[in-house]
Amino acid sequence: MSVHLVGGGATSRADAPLYAPFVAEAVLRGGAAGRARPRIAVISLHPEAGEKAAALADLLVAAGSGGEIEVHLTAGRPGEPIGLTAIADVDAIAVGGGVVEDVRAGLEPLFGEVRRLVAGGVPYLGVSAGAMIAAEGSLGSGSRIGGVLVAPEDPEEPGVELEIEAGIGLVDVAIEAHVAERGMLSRLVAAVESGLVGGGLGIDERTALIVGDGGLRVEGSGSVWRVLPTDQGVLVSTIGA
Protein backbone atom coordinates (compact mmCIF):
# COMPACT_ATOMS: atom_id res chain seq x y z
CA MET A 1 0.00 0.00 0.00
CA SER A 2 1.02 3.61 -0.56
CA VAL A 3 1.33 7.07 0.92
CA HIS A 4 -0.77 9.61 -1.02
CA LEU A 5 0.18 13.28 -0.61
CA VAL A 6 -1.98 16.03 -2.12
CA GLY A 7 -0.70 19.60 -2.35
CA GLY A 8 -4.08 21.14 -1.50
CA GLY A 9 -6.68 22.92 -3.56
CA ALA A 10 -8.50 19.77 -4.67
CA THR A 11 -11.82 20.45 -2.96
CA SER A 12 -14.55 20.13 -5.59
CA ARG A 13 -16.25 16.98 -6.84
CA ALA A 14 -14.41 17.50 -10.12
CA ASP A 15 -11.24 16.73 -8.16
CA ALA A 16 -12.54 13.36 -6.94
CA PRO A 17 -10.47 11.33 -9.46
CA LEU A 18 -7.33 12.58 -7.72
CA TYR A 19 -8.36 10.58 -4.66
CA ALA A 20 -9.41 7.45 -6.58
CA PRO A 21 -6.08 5.58 -6.22
CA PHE A 22 -6.25 6.02 -2.43
CA VAL A 23 -9.85 4.78 -2.25
CA ALA A 24 -8.98 1.83 -4.52
CA GLU A 25 -6.23 0.79 -2.10
CA ALA A 26 -8.65 1.12 0.81
CA VAL A 27 -11.07 -1.20 -1.01
CA LEU A 28 -8.31 -3.77 -1.50
CA ARG A 29 -7.30 -3.53 2.14
CA GLY A 30 -10.89 -3.87 3.29
CA GLY A 31 -11.44 -6.87 1.03
CA ALA A 32 -8.39 -8.57 2.50
CA ALA A 33 -9.94 -8.02 5.93
CA GLY A 34 -13.23 -9.53 4.77
CA ARG A 35 -15.14 -6.25 4.54
CA ALA A 36 -17.30 -5.34 1.56
CA ARG A 37 -17.20 -1.67 2.62
CA PRO A 38 -13.74 -0.39 3.56
CA ARG A 39 -13.48 1.70 6.72
CA ILE A 40 -11.67 4.99 6.17
CA ALA A 41 -10.65 7.26 9.03
CA VAL A 42 -11.02 10.93 8.03
CA ILE A 43 -9.37 13.34 10.45
CA SER A 44 -9.47 17.14 10.36
CA LEU A 45 -7.78 19.63 12.68
CA HIS A 46 -8.74 22.63 10.57
CA PRO A 47 -10.30 25.66 12.32
CA GLU A 48 -13.53 24.53 10.60
CA ALA A 49 -12.84 20.87 11.33
CA GLY A 50 -16.38 19.52 11.18
CA GLU A 51 -17.12 21.06 7.80
CA LYS A 52 -13.72 20.15 6.35
CA ALA A 53 -13.86 16.53 7.54
CA ALA A 54 -17.29 16.09 5.97
CA ALA A 55 -16.13 17.69 2.70
CA LEU A 56 -13.11 15.38 2.46
CA ALA A 57 -15.34 12.39 3.21
CA ASP A 58 -17.68 13.43 0.38
CA LEU A 59 -14.72 13.58 -2.02
CA LEU A 60 -13.62 10.09 -1.02
CA VAL A 61 -17.14 8.75 -1.53
CA ALA A 62 -17.24 10.37 -4.97
CA ALA A 63 -13.81 8.94 -5.76
CA GLY A 64 -15.13 5.46 -5.12
CA SER A 65 -17.04 5.47 -8.43
CA GLY A 66 -20.25 4.37 -6.78
CA GLY A 67 -18.74 1.79 -4.47
CA GLU A 68 -19.76 2.16 -0.85
CA ILE A 69 -17.24 3.08 1.82
CA GLU A 70 -17.66 3.51 5.56
CA VAL A 71 -16.24 6.81 6.75
CA HIS A 72 -15.23 7.50 10.36
CA LEU A 73 -15.07 11.27 10.87
CA THR A 74 -12.95 12.92 13.55
CA ALA A 75 -13.11 16.69 13.92
CA GLY A 76 -10.37 17.83 16.28
CA ARG A 77 -9.75 21.06 18.14
CA PRO A 78 -6.47 22.96 18.48
CA GLY A 79 -4.67 21.91 21.64
CA GLU A 80 -6.62 18.67 22.03
CA PRO A 81 -4.78 15.54 20.83
CA ILE A 82 -6.64 13.04 18.67
CA GLY A 83 -7.40 9.76 20.45
CA LEU A 84 -6.35 6.32 19.29
CA THR A 85 -9.96 5.32 18.57
CA ALA A 86 -9.89 7.63 15.52
CA ILE A 87 -7.74 5.13 13.62
CA ALA A 88 -8.73 1.86 15.31
CA ASP A 89 -9.73 -1.01 13.00
CA VAL A 90 -9.65 0.99 9.75
CA ASP A 91 -8.53 0.16 6.23
CA ALA A 92 -7.18 3.63 5.36
CA ILE A 93 -6.32 6.93 7.04
CA ALA A 94 -6.97 10.40 5.56
CA VAL A 95 -5.72 13.60 7.23
CA GLY A 96 -6.86 17.00 5.95
CA GLY A 97 -5.30 20.44 6.00
CA GLY A 98 -5.21 23.38 8.37
CA VAL A 99 -2.49 25.18 10.31
CA VAL A 100 0.41 22.75 10.03
CA GLU A 101 1.54 23.23 13.64
CA ASP A 102 -1.97 22.43 14.92
CA VAL A 103 -2.34 19.40 12.65
CA ARG A 104 1.05 18.04 13.70
CA ALA A 105 0.42 18.60 17.42
CA GLY A 106 -3.04 17.01 17.30
CA LEU A 107 -1.80 13.90 15.51
CA GLU A 108 1.52 13.56 17.36
CA PRO A 109 0.25 11.02 19.93
CA LEU A 110 -0.78 8.77 17.01
CA PHE A 111 2.45 8.99 14.99
CA GLY A 112 3.76 5.63 16.14
CA GLU A 113 0.47 3.84 15.50
CA VAL A 114 0.08 5.47 12.08
CA ARG A 115 3.58 4.26 11.13
CA ARG A 116 2.71 0.76 12.32
CA LEU A 117 -0.54 0.66 10.36
CA VAL A 118 1.02 2.00 7.16
CA ALA A 119 3.89 -0.48 7.44
CA GLY A 120 1.23 -3.18 7.75
CA GLY A 121 -0.49 -2.14 4.50
CA VAL A 122 -2.95 0.61 5.48
CA PRO A 123 -2.79 3.46 2.90
CA TYR A 124 -2.33 7.03 4.15
CA LEU A 125 -3.71 10.18 2.50
CA GLY A 126 -2.45 13.58 3.56
CA VAL A 127 -3.86 16.80 2.11
CA SER A 128 -1.93 20.09 2.48
CA ALA A 129 -0.82 20.15 6.14
CA GLY A 130 -1.76 16.46 6.35
CA ALA A 131 0.82 15.85 3.61
CA MET A 132 3.48 18.04 5.23
CA ILE A 133 3.38 16.16 8.55
CA ALA A 134 3.91 12.83 6.77
CA ALA A 135 7.63 13.59 6.53
CA GLU A 136 10.29 12.70 9.10
CA GLY A 137 10.83 16.43 9.57
CA SER A 138 7.71 18.57 9.21
CA LEU A 139 8.07 22.11 7.91
CA GLY A 140 6.25 24.71 9.98
CA SER A 141 4.52 27.84 8.74
CA GLY A 142 7.42 30.28 9.14
CA SER A 143 8.55 32.46 6.26
CA ARG A 144 12.08 33.37 7.37
CA ILE A 145 15.35 31.53 7.94
CA GLY A 146 17.92 33.35 10.05
CA GLY A 147 15.74 36.42 9.81
CA VAL A 148 15.91 36.41 5.99
CA LEU A 149 12.63 36.35 4.07
CA VAL A 150 12.36 33.10 2.07
CA ALA A 151 8.63 32.97 1.24
CA PRO A 152 5.75 35.41 0.69
CA GLU A 153 4.33 36.91 3.87
CA ASP A 154 1.88 39.59 4.90
CA PRO A 155 3.88 42.86 5.02
CA GLU A 156 1.82 43.95 8.01
CA GLU A 157 2.68 40.81 10.00
CA PRO A 158 6.07 40.26 11.68
CA GLY A 159 8.20 37.51 10.15
CA VAL A 160 8.20 34.10 11.79
CA GLU A 161 11.20 31.77 11.69
CA LEU A 162 10.77 28.47 9.90
CA GLU A 163 11.02 25.60 12.36
CA ILE A 164 11.26 21.86 11.73
CA GLU A 165 9.38 19.49 14.02
CA ALA A 166 9.24 15.71 14.05
CA GLY A 167 6.63 14.37 11.64
CA ILE A 168 5.08 10.95 11.22
CA GLY A 169 8.05 9.62 9.27
CA LEU A 170 6.24 8.00 6.33
CA VAL A 171 8.61 9.68 3.84
CA ASP A 172 12.25 10.61 4.43
CA VAL A 173 12.30 14.10 2.86
CA ALA A 174 10.44 17.28 3.78
CA ILE A 175 7.11 17.94 2.07
CA GLU A 176 5.92 21.37 0.96
CA ALA A 177 2.36 22.06 -0.25
CA HIS A 178 0.63 24.75 -2.39
CA VAL A 179 3.98 25.26 -4.08
CA ALA A 180 3.33 27.01 -7.41
CA GLU A 181 0.16 28.73 -6.19
CA ARG A 182 1.64 30.31 -3.05
CA GLY A 183 5.24 30.78 -4.14
CA MET A 184 6.55 28.21 -1.66
CA LEU A 185 9.34 26.75 -3.81
CA SER A 186 11.74 29.43 -2.57
CA ARG A 187 11.13 28.36 1.03
CA LEU A 188 11.84 24.71 0.25
CA VAL A 189 15.00 25.66 -1.65
CA ALA A 190 16.18 27.81 1.27
CA ALA A 191 15.40 25.08 3.81
CA VAL A 192 17.49 22.56 1.88
CA GLU A 193 20.32 25.01 1.12
CA SER A 194 20.56 26.03 4.78
CA GLY A 195 20.68 22.43 5.97
CA LEU A 196 17.44 22.63 7.93
CA VAL A 197 16.27 19.59 5.93
CA GLY A 198 18.24 17.09 3.89
CA GLY A 199 15.99 17.30 0.83
CA GLY A 200 12.41 18.04 -0.08
CA LEU A 201 9.48 17.50 -2.41
CA GLY A 202 7.08 20.34 -3.14
CA ILE A 203 3.59 19.51 -4.39
CA ASP A 204 1.42 21.87 -6.42
CA GLU A 205 -2.30 22.21 -5.74
CA ARG A 206 -4.63 19.68 -7.39
CA THR A 207 -1.65 17.34 -7.61
CA ALA A 208 -0.98 14.08 -5.80
CA LEU A 209 2.35 12.40 -5.12
CA ILE A 210 1.94 8.68 -4.56
CA VAL A 211 4.81 6.97 -2.76
CA GLY A 212 4.70 3.19 -3.02
CA ASP A 213 6.75 0.07 -3.63
CA GLY A 214 7.06 1.03 -7.30
CA GLY A 215 8.63 4.41 -6.55
CA LEU A 216 7.07 7.84 -7.04
CA ARG A 217 4.00 8.57 -9.14
CA VAL A 218 2.34 11.92 -9.84
CA GLU A 219 -1.35 12.44 -10.62
CA GLY A 220 -3.25 15.66 -11.29
CA SER A 221 -2.73 18.94 -13.09
CA GLY A 222 0.49 20.22 -11.52
CA SER A 223 4.02 19.14 -10.76
CA VAL A 224 6.05 17.82 -7.87
CA TRP A 225 9.25 19.80 -7.32
CA ARG A 226 12.30 17.85 -6.17
CA VAL A 227 14.93 19.85 -4.24
CA LEU A 228 18.19 18.09 -3.38
CA PRO A 229 21.46 19.36 -1.89
CA THR A 230 24.60 19.45 -4.03
CA ASP A 231 28.21 20.58 -3.47
CA GLN A 232 27.38 23.87 -5.18
CA GLY A 233 24.02 24.52 -3.49
CA VAL A 234 20.79 22.79 -4.49
CA LEU A 235 19.42 21.00 -7.53
CA VAL A 236 15.79 21.66 -8.48
CA SER A 237 13.86 19.47 -10.91
CA THR A 238 10.24 18.55 -11.50
CA ILE A 239 8.36 15.29 -11.58
CA GLY A 240 5.44 15.86 -13.96
CA ALA A 241 2.04 14.24 -13.92
Side-chain angles (χ1 to χ4, degrees):
M1 297 297 175
S2 307
V3 176
H4 302 249
L5 306 175
V6 177
T11 58
S12 73
R13 291 183 72 85
D15 299 308
L18 198 63
Y19 301 94
F22 169 75
V23 175
E25 289 192 13
V27 170
L28 288 175
R29 176 71 181 183
R35 284 191 276 265
R37 299 171 61 202
R39 297 173 179 168
I40 302 179
V42 176
I43 302 171
S44 176
L45 286 134
H46 191 277
E48 300 171 353
E51 177 183 336
K52 296 298 184 180
L56 180 53
D58 286 344
L59 283 171
L60 297 180
V61 171
S65 299
E68 292 188 0
I69 63 175
E70 183 180 336
V71 180
H72 292 249
L73 300 181
T74 300
R77 297 179 181 177
E80 295 183 8
I82 299 296
L84 191 60
T85 55
I87 58 172
D89 194 25
V90 297
D91 302 305
I93 301 168
V95 179
V99 179
V100 65
E101 288 85 356
D102 291 343
V103 177
R104 195 205 72 83
L107 267 291
E108 186 176 16
L110 304 185
F111 282 1
E113 181 63 7
V114 172
R115 285 194 298 270
R116 186 188 73 81
L117 290 172
V118 173
V122 172
Y124 174 91
L125 168 69
V127 181
S128 186
M132 294 172 68
I133 68 165
E136 288 184 357
S138 174
L139 298 172
S141 58
S143 57
R144 293 176 179 259
I145 296 177
V148 177
L149 184 66
V150 296
E153 66 181 11
D154 186 339
E156 296 182 0
E157 295 289 335
V160 177
E161 282 288 308
L162 174 62
E163 296 185 357
I164 311 298
E165 300 285 352
I168 302 172
L170 303 179
V171 293
D172 59 3
V173 293
I175 301 296
E176 185 70 275
H178 307 281
V179 173
E181 294 76 13
R182 298 187 184 177
M184 301 307 291
L185 181 58
S186 59
R187 189 176 81 149
L188 186 57
V189 168
V192 174
E193 194 276 335
S194 68
L196 279 177
V197 295
L201 293 168
I203 309 171
D204 290 344
E205 291 185 0
R206 292 186 168 83
T207 305
L209 171 66
I210 303 173
V211 184
D213 293 336
L216 304 180
R217 187 167 103 240
V218 178
E219 301 284 350
S221 60
S223 294
V224 171
W225 304 77
R226 189 189 340 236
V227 182
L228 299 174
T230 69
D231 292 340
Q232 291 75 36
V234 298
L235 174 66
V236 180
S237 58
T238 57
I239 308 171

